[in-house]
Amino acid sequence: MSNYYQSLTDSQLDLELAVLEQQISEFRSKNLTLDMARGKPHSDQVDLSRPLLDMLSSSADFIDKGVDAANYGCPEGLPSARQLAAELLGVAPNRVLVGDSASLSIMYDVIDNAFTRGIGGCEPWYKQGKVTFLCPSPGYDRHFALTASFGIQNVPIELGEDGPNMDEVCRLVETDASVKGIWCVPKYANPTGITYSDEVVRRFASLKPAAPDFRVYWDNAYCVHDLVEPHDELLNIFDALEEAGTTNLVYEFASTSKITIPGAGMSWVAASDDDIAELAAAFSFHRVCPNKMVQLAHVRFLQDAQHVTEHMKKHAALARPRFELVCSKLEAGLGTLGIASWTRPQGGYFISFDGPVGSAQAIVSLAAELGVKMTSAGATWPYGKDPRDTNIRIAPTFPSMEELSQALDVFIVCVKYSAARLEKQSRQA
Ligand SMILES: Cc1ncc(COP(=O)(O)O)c(C=O)c1O
């Protein structure tokens, strides 16, 4: 589809810019404060888990399969919590460690262990010189920030409709021993919402890394976060590993953050027997045990995978209309202009938006001036550098429907104005 603004005469373009400037000044006078920045559940979604707080009381039995949740011990996590996490990820319970509220903390600890103590009998990364991580982009800003905080070099990798560019991943992982990891969000990727194809998962499972301490950091944060049926199916990476006869290659992460109460749940890491034993030993230096009372309340509330599925349908019923609103507003506002594209995810928390080349920074800063907070432009790329300056992450869940609708009206005008300005500038150059 050709760019509408390019088809205008100079005077038509000037007229269009004047109309958009008028709309911008009207928005400015409204003093809006709207937030489409971070992937937070709406309070109605969090409220779905209020009964979790009633699972424990002063008269409750705190024993879970012979383990006292109300005392030290069981650093690997409460037995029923390991069982539930294992069921959700499709692995054996003894291959899962259950920790506290944030999977990001477990990811940090896993990287920290490789960096300071080394993994698989290899030298710690801090002694190895250059350490590189592959970052499918656009991707999750906090992943990239985590590895960057250790001085690890983040290298962007193209992310397509069915996963990262695997020819590039194989080439780099199998020939360059400084490549120690790759960040993956394999289901409903943050922010594009794509799910890796079976072929991509199988190619990951068959990797033959040049570095023995290379691992795939498989952040399955949105494993049960389907919005529509039929939902995307992700091939179980541990089944694929078994099929390929590969071991000690993957750390898989997830949490209850967007299942129950963000920041107040449990998170987990699953890996091979060797890797789990190594992580359990490493974690013992800084935690005696996780918060097992929280784990107990969670397993009593969530029970098993079937109940989790039912619970997640209630989340979907609240989140889906917000995604539909974003997509229908974008379609109505921008669909015929040939200046932008966006994803229509089947699950997860984000919509990924691409405007004209060189527009994203301008769109996000104009939206901020008009009171609409978006994720910083570039955040979805390592070091905040989107090479084409096109990508913007839209997080629809947190605002009310009314706020979201208003925020999109502003956003659409910002996109149009930035596209029209770019056209004007190119004519003036
Ligand atoms: C891909 C991904 N991983 C992890 C997280 C954070 O999870 P947690 O709250 O368990 O640290 C998020 C939050 O947006 C995310 O999008």
Side-chain angles (χ1 to χ4, degrees), residues 273-287:
D273 293 337
D274 294 343
D275 283 349
I276 278 295
E278 192 173 69
L279 289 177
F283 292 173
S284 72
F285 293 116
H286 69 115
R287 59 171 82 102

Side-chain angles (χ1 to χ4, degrees), residues 110-182:
V110 169
I111 300 278
D112 183 63
N113 179 49
F115 198 85
T116 57
R117 285 180 282 268
I119 56 175
C122 298
E123 287 259 76
W125 292 348
Y126 83 89
K127 286 191 180 164
Q128 289 195 36
K130 186 175 155 201
V131 171
T132 307
F133 249 66
L134 306 184
C135 300
S137 302
Y140 179 37
D141 53 347
R142 291 190 196 270
H143 281 162
F144 305 161
L146 198 170
T147 31
S149 78
F150 282 87
I152 293 168
Q153 211 173 327
N154 286 331
V155 173
I157 291 284
E158 181 200 348
L159 182 72
E161 291 284 307
D162 61 352
N165 178 335
M166 289 309 290
D167 290 341
E168 192 62 359
V169 170
C170 291
R171 189 181 68 75
L172 291 166
V173 171
E174 296 184 350
T175 60
D176 181 350
S178 85
V179 177
K180 303 295 189 191
I182 178 165

Side-chain angles (χ1 to χ4, degrees), residues 1 27 148 186 190 209 229 239 269 273 295 300 403 421 423:
M1 200 186 297
F27 283 132
N190 175 352
E229 295 298 336
D239 290 349
V269 54
D273 293 337
Q295 296 185 3
R300 288 187 180 166
E403 288 168 337
R421 286 284 308 158
E423 178 56 21

Side-chain angles (χ1 to χ4, degrees), residues 25-46:
S25 75
E26 281 163 23
F27 283 132
R28 207 184 293 279
S29 65
K30 288 188 177 168
N31 293 321
L32 299 169
T33 45
L34 303 165
D35 189 347
M36 284 204 295
R38 292 230 74 94
K40 294 194 229 176
H42 188 266
S43 58
D44 288 353
Q45 288 181 261
V46 179

